[in-house]
């Protein structure tokens, strides 16, 4: 029978839950207040009043705590403030397990008996897991309220998961000992009665989750990690609720969040139509680099896309039946490298009868069957289609406000870094047809537009998030959009061989053109470092202040000092520089920590969750 035990364990658990939700709510209120303030600043700018953003006292010190460090065998990137945060959380957990709900009696503060402590810890563990599970979902109201996105919450998902597991293990070990001591029969320590048996099965479920979450499994057998995580969670939680019915109270909120997330993801992936338009191998694989593939697709679910965001993609060659089968289960994250907005087109239509019907209904078509004013009124599916993307870029800028009447085309650039991506690359080189599904967009809506200077530091394919940022700023300044204050953009890009940047040259040429004809002033300086070639062409001649360097790595502190000096020459003492970085952990750590020394705002995009 369903029964909730209102025990001291429960009061310990729920008081801890109230503390956590209370603190989190305060954080959300603070975040929403800062959003309102940014909105007000932009409104002022539209009226022609350029106010300097208010900087809270202590901001500089707080920013210094963002310093990134590496903890060997644990994580490559963690901010100093998060280490402090995790430490405080552990201390709070210990205090709660000892004294919650903090009732002062005539006998003073009463410590519970040791035999009860393990169950108090198990209840606290459930609250930690509640948060861990919610932080591991992609779509939830919490990300909207707090501004913390899926990828920024994933590290907390892991920390809370580990902390909860440590507490849960203490409960399990203590109960195994207690079970054994009763009868001195080994089996009784695990399967003495229904309570023990369900507890044991639940533990096995959670252990499966934990053991398959190690970095090695995640990086080398992602699907094993992913599906064990879901299976382990369902088994662990179902049997935990059977083991102790009060667990329902704790798990129900996160189960609701999880189910809603699954529903939104399924809807986006299977019901919002994605149409692949072209899949091209833009850089063929060679002995020195892995090759790059570009997917151009139409996805109207990207209406609210913000530069720097990414999506989860399932891409399969139609030629391979096994791939078709695996299609539904192989999702990979890729950043949108470019977006084109335009009038709703008939891009997706390949059905000649349908085209004919629309022509008869009076809609004017060109010879390829597209509306004259649609995004693709030329046939992109020709061998010249690759260069025609340049035409698309020039006729479909991404500056219009999101609107449901427009068509959204987007590209992702994919490097052949692993088995799956290399397989798609090979299929694209062979000219296969593809099926594409997209779940997204995800990721932070970045605040770069409020900064006078943006500096993007990218490594290899890590340039894709920077590309949408730069394109957005350049196009908006070119169109005279006053809410974008950026006047100078620096793009420092490190690649191994020149093919990795030459395939993006048309994009760079387009930015350069836009800067020259911009209504509001904007300058772009590009420095490309080709590390594994001693010499080569300089395709950036004619780009003011820009250069290509062969055989050298970028001097990150040197570039930052250069930007600071140039800012001083422009008469701005405290420069408002926004630094964006994407690359390996070591690269991002150097960029990030150096930027903090300059007291600049920073954002990093990780390509490894
Ligand atoms: C936010 C984000 C944006 C990215 N953007 C790009 C991009 O624009 N271009 C590009 O070339 N690469 C990008 N990557 C990297 C890209 O996702 C990986 O290179 C790709 O998944 C490798 O797949 P593979 O199976 O070929 O390689 P494998 O080596 O077999 O793949 C395993 C690796 O992929 C990761 N991975 C696989 N599936 C998922 C998933 N569903 N969620 C999270 N991680 C997963 C694993 O953790 C592991 O590191 C991005 C990664 C992230 C996290």
């Amino acid at each position: 029978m369903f029964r909730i035990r209102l025990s001291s364990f429960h009061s310990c658990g729920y008081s801890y839950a109230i503390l956590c939700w209370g603190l989190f709510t305060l954080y959300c209120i603070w975040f929403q207040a800062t959003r309102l303030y940014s909105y007000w600043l932009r409104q002022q700018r539209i009226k022609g009043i350029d106010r300097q953003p208010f900087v809270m006292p202590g901001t500089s010190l707080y920013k210094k705590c963002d310093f990134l460090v590496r903890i060997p065998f644990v994580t490559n990137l963690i901010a100093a403030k998060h280490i402090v945060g995790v430490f405080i959380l552990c201390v709070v957990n210990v205090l709660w397990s000892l004294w919650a709900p903090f009732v002062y009696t005539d006998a003073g503060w009463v410590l519970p008996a040791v035999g009860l402590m393990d169950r108090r810890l198990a209840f606290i563990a459930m609250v930690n897991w509640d948060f861990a599970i919610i932080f591991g979902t992609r779509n939830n109201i919490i990300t909207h309220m707090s501004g913390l996105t899926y990828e920024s919450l994933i590290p907390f998902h892991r920390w809370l998961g580990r902390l909860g597991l440590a507490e849960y293990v203490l409960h399990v070990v203590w109960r195994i000992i207690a079970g054994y001591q009763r009868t001195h029969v080994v089996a009784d320590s695990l399967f003495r009665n229904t309570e023990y048996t369900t507890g044991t099965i639940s533990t096995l479920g959670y252990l499966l989750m934990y053991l398959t979450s190690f970095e090695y499994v995640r990086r080398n057998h992602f699907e094993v990690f992913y599906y064990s995580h879901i299976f382990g969670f369902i088994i662990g939680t179902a049997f935990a609720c059977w083991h102790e019915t009060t667990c329902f109270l704790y798990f129900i909120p996160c189960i609701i969040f999880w189910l809603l997330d699954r529903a939104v993801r399924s809807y986006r992936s299977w019901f919002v139509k994605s149409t692949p338009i072209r899949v091209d191998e833009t850089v063929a694989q060679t002995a020195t680099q892995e090759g790059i593939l570009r997917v151009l697709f139409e996805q109207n679910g990207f209406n609210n896309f913000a530069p720097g965001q990414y999506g989860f993609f399932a891409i399969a060659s139609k030629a391979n039946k096994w791939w078709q089968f695996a299609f539904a289960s192989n999702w990979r994250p890729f950043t949108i490298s470019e977006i084109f907005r335009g009038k709703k087109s008939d891009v997706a239509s390949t059905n000649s009868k349908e085209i004919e019907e629309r022509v008869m209904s009076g809609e004017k078509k060109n010879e390829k069957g597209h509306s004259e004013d649609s995004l693709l009124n030329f046939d992109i599916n020709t061998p010249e289609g690759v260069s025609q993307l340049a035409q698309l870029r020039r006729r479909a800028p991404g500056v219009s406000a999101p609107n449901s009447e427009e068509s959204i085309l987007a590209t992702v650039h994919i490097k052949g870094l692993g088995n799956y991506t290399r397989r798609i690359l090979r299929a694209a080189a062979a000219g296969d047809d593809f099926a594409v599904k997209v779940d997204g967009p995800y990721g932070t809506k970045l605040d770069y537009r409020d900064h006078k200077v943006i500096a993007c530091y990218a490594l290899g394919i890590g340039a894709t998030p920077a590309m949408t940022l730069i394109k957005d700023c350049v196009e908006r300044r070119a169109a005279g959009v006053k809410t974008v204050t950026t006047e100078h953009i620096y793009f420092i890009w490190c690649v191994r061989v020149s093919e990795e940047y030459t395939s993006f040259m048309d994009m760079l040429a387009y930015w350069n053109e836009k800067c020259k004809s911009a209504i509001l002033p904007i300058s772009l300086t590009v420095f490309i470092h080709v590390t594994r070639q001693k010499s080569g062409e300089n395709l950036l001649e004619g780009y003011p202040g820009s250069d290509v360097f062969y055989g050298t790595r970028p001097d990150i502190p040197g570039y930052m000092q250069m930007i600071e000096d140039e800012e001083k020459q422009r008469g701005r003492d405290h420069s408002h520089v926004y630094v964006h970085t994407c690359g390996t952990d070591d690269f991002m750590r150097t960029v990030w920590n150096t930027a903090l020394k300059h007291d600049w705002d920073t954002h990093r995009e990780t390509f490894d969750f």
Side-chain angles (χ1 to χ4, degrees):
M1 200 179 63
F2 188 79
R3 184 168 51 97
I4 301 286
R5 284 194 218 164
L6 294 175
S7 57
S8 98
F9 326 128
H10 180 50
S11 60
C12 174
Y14 81 68
S15 57
Y16 177 62
I18 289 171
L19 173 84
C20 295
W21 281 109
L23 290 177
F24 194 71
T25 307
L26 288 179
Y27 177 83
C28 293
I29 292 171
W30 174 81
F31 171 74
Q32 292 301 334
T34 61
R35 300 294 301 165
L36 279 176
Y37 179 64
S38 298
Y39 176 74
W40 178 76
L41 276 182
R42 285 175 196 169
Q43 292 301 313
Q44 295 288 302
R45 233 175 269 144
I46 291 172
K47 290 178 192 158
I49 310 164
D50 195 4
R51 292 181 194 272
Q52 285 302 313
F54 170 72
V55 182
M56 291 255 287
T59 303
S60 181
L61 182 69
Y62 180 71
K63 250 197 226 167
K64 296 260 181 304
C65 301
D66 253 342
F67 197 82
L68 290 176
V69 292
R70 173 172 179 266
I71 306 179
F73 307 112
V74 179
T75 174
N76 279 335
L77 288 179
I78 180 167
K81 70 178 182 197
H82 291 158
I83 298 180
V84 175
V86 171
F87 176 73
I88 293 174
L89 187 72
C90 293
V91 172
V92 168
N93 274 236
V94 172
L95 293 179
W96 239 259
S97 66
L98 290 177
W99 285 294
F102 302 97
V103 180
Y104 189 76
T105 65
D106 292 343
W109 298 105
V110 182
L111 269 185
V114 176
L116 300 181
M117 207 78 92
D118 70 299
R119 274 176 279 177
R120 291 166 65 84
L121 279 170
F123 274 70
I124 293 176
M126 279 194 289
V127 179
N128 287 328
W129 278 348
D130 219 18
F131 275 91
I133 294 160
I134 294 172
F135 288 174
T137 58
R138 288 184 202 162
N139 303 282
N140 61 57
I141 189 166
I142 281 178
T143 52
H144 291 285
M145 280 161 41
S146 64
L148 297 168
T149 50
Y150 171 65
E151 70 282 359
S152 61
L153 288 172
I154 279 289
F156 299 108
H157 162 85
R158 291 193 192 122
W159 284 113
L160 287 165
R162 286 171 192 156
L163 180 60
L165 189 83
E167 291 163 340
Y168 188 75
V169 162
L170 288 176
H171 167 60
V172 172
V173 170
W174 184 259
R175 289 296 132 192
I176 288 176
I177 295 170
Y180 180 74
Q181 281 174 346
R182 274 176 194 252
T183 58
H184 295 279
V185 176
V186 175
D188 280 357
S189 59
L190 297 174
F191 306 106
R192 196 163 67 82
N193 52 25
T194 310
E195 194 180 20
Y196 263 66
T197 307
T198 49
T200 302
I201 299 174
S202 168
T203 306
L204 290 176
Y206 289 134
L207 279 182
L208 175 73
M209 272 176 98
Y210 178 70
L211 294 174
T212 51
S213 304
F214 280 106
E215 177 103 14
Y216 173 80
V217 186
R218 280 209 321 268
R219 298 282 168 254
N220 297 293
H221 307 282
F222 184 81
E223 269 69 35
V224 173
F225 151 74
Y226 183 75
Y227 289 104
S228 309
H229 227 60
I230 295 180
F231 182 69
F233 168 64
I234 293 173
I235 295 292
T237 307
F239 280 88
C241 292
W242 188 347
H243 169 76
E244 165 59 64
T245 38
T246 321
C247 295
F248 266 120
L249 276 185
Y250 290 80
F251 283 123
I252 276 176
C254 68
I255 290 173
I256 292 175
F257 271 94
W258 185 66
L259 289 175
L260 285 176
D261 176 47
R262 300 304 312 183
V264 173
R265 280 161 69 166
S266 303
Y267 172 76
R268 281 175 162 189
S269 332
W270 298 101
F271 296 101
V272 178
K273 197 168 176 218
S274 322
T275 313
I277 295 168
R278 284 192 70 99
V279 178
D280 293 297
E281 182 194 50
T282 54
V283 180
Q285 189 185 5
T286 62
T288 48
Q289 51 78 40
E290 297 87 351
I292 298 175
L293 162 98
R294 183 186 54 213
V295 182
L296 171 68
F297 61 97
E298 184 179 31
Q299 231 282 8
N300 289 338
F302 273 49
N303 238 323
N304 287 317
F305 168 82
Q309 289 187 315
Y310 60 91
F312 288 86
F313 290 77
I315 306 172
S317 154
K318 288 184 178 168
N320 187 323
K321 288 280 170 257
W322 189 87
W323 266 39
Q324 287 286 305
F325 173 73
F327 186 40
S329 56
N330 270 314
W331 293 81
R332 294 284 184 275
F334 297 111
T335 308
I336 306 304
S337 51
E338 197 166 7
I339 195 127
F340 313 93
R341 295 179 191 276
K343 187 181 179 299
K344 266 208 188 307
S345 73
D346 43 4
V347 170
S349 175
T350 49
N351 179 335
S352 58
K353 186 159 180 283
E354 191 186 325
I355 292 170
E356 206 174 297
E357 276 167 10
R358 288 206 237 158
V359 172
M360 288 172 71
S361 75
E363 203 180 339
K364 196 178 167 203
K365 300 277 162 174
N366 66 12
E367 64 197 28
K368 303 294 178 195
H370 297 289
S371 312
E372 281 301 340
D373 51 354
S374 81
L375 261 185
L376 286 179
N377 73 350
F378 53 89
D379 190 358
I380 201 150
N381 281 311
T382 62
E384 300 78 46
V386 177
S387 60
Q388 286 182 342
L389 204 73
Q391 195 180 328
L392 180 61
R393 188 169 290 135
R394 282 159 184 83
R395 53 178 286 122
V399 288
S400 62
N403 118 43
S404 59
E405 285 309 306
E406 67 184 2
S407 181
I408 313 272
L409 303 188
T411 58
V412 285
H413 281 80
I414 301 175
K415 199 164 188 178
L417 292 175
N419 292 337
Y420 174 81
T421 41
R422 273 196 289 269
R423 226 181 303 148
I424 317 176
L425 209 77
R426 276 197 298 274
D432 284 6
D433 270 351
F434 284 85
V436 174
K437 293 251 167 249
V438 187
D439 170 24
Y442 292 103
T444 323
K445 295 198 169 176
L446 303 169
D447 274 338
Y448 57 92
R449 290 175 192 157
D450 296 326
H451 293 72
K452 293 275 182 210
V453 181
I454 296 180
C456 298
Y457 291 80
L459 207 60
I461 197 68
T464 50
M467 284 175 176
T468 44
L469 249 71
I470 297 174
K471 186 181 181 220
D472 178 68
C473 271
V474 167
E475 283 182 337
R476 281 173 196 272
R477 293 289 292 183
V481 177
K482 282 187 190 163
T483 47
V484 179
T485 53
T486 313
E487 291 173 6
H488 305 280
I489 300 177
Y490 297 86
F491 181 32
I492 292 113
W493 188 12
C494 183
V495 293
R496 279 181 295 171
V497 289
S498 55
E499 289 97 317
E500 287 181 355
Y501 88 86
T502 49
S503 64
F504 289 95
M505 269 319 289
D506 183 69
M507 183 117 74
L508 271 70
Y510 169 72
W511 299 341
N512 199 27
E513 275 166 34
K514 282 274 163 192
C515 286
K516 284 182 184 158
S517 61
I519 295 175
L520 293 172
I522 175 122
S523 75
L524 171 70
T525 310
V526 183
F527 294 115
I528 297 178
H529 287 255
V530 185
T531 54
R532 298 213 182 152
Q533 269 175 245
K534 288 273 171 280
S535 61
E537 258 186 300
N538 179 358
L539 295 181
L540 293 182
E541 274 169 16
Y543 290 65
S546 305
D547 217 335
V548 182
F549 304 97
Y550 285 87
T552 62
R553 288 182 174 184
D555 169 13
I556 292 163
Y559 276 126
M560 290 204 184
Q561 194 52 50
M562 180 199 81
I563 295 172
E564 178 143 339
D565 292 344
E566 290 189 2
E567 275 293 272
K568 283 194 181 130
Q569 282 165 20
R570 291 174 193 131
R572 285 195 286 260
D573 263 351
H574 185 78
S575 44
H576 289 285
V577 180
Y578 182 89
V579 175
H580 182 282
T581 180
C582 182
T584 59
D585 290 346
D586 288 343
F587 179 81
M588 289 196 290
R589 200 170 41 241
T590 311
V591 172
W592 183 280
N593 290 343
T594 317
L596 284 185
K597 285 184 191 150
H598 288 264
D599 206 11
W600 292 344
D601 290 335
T602 42
H603 176 81
R604 70 191 146 92
E605 196 68 55
T606 179
F607 271 14
D608 261 336
F609 284 143

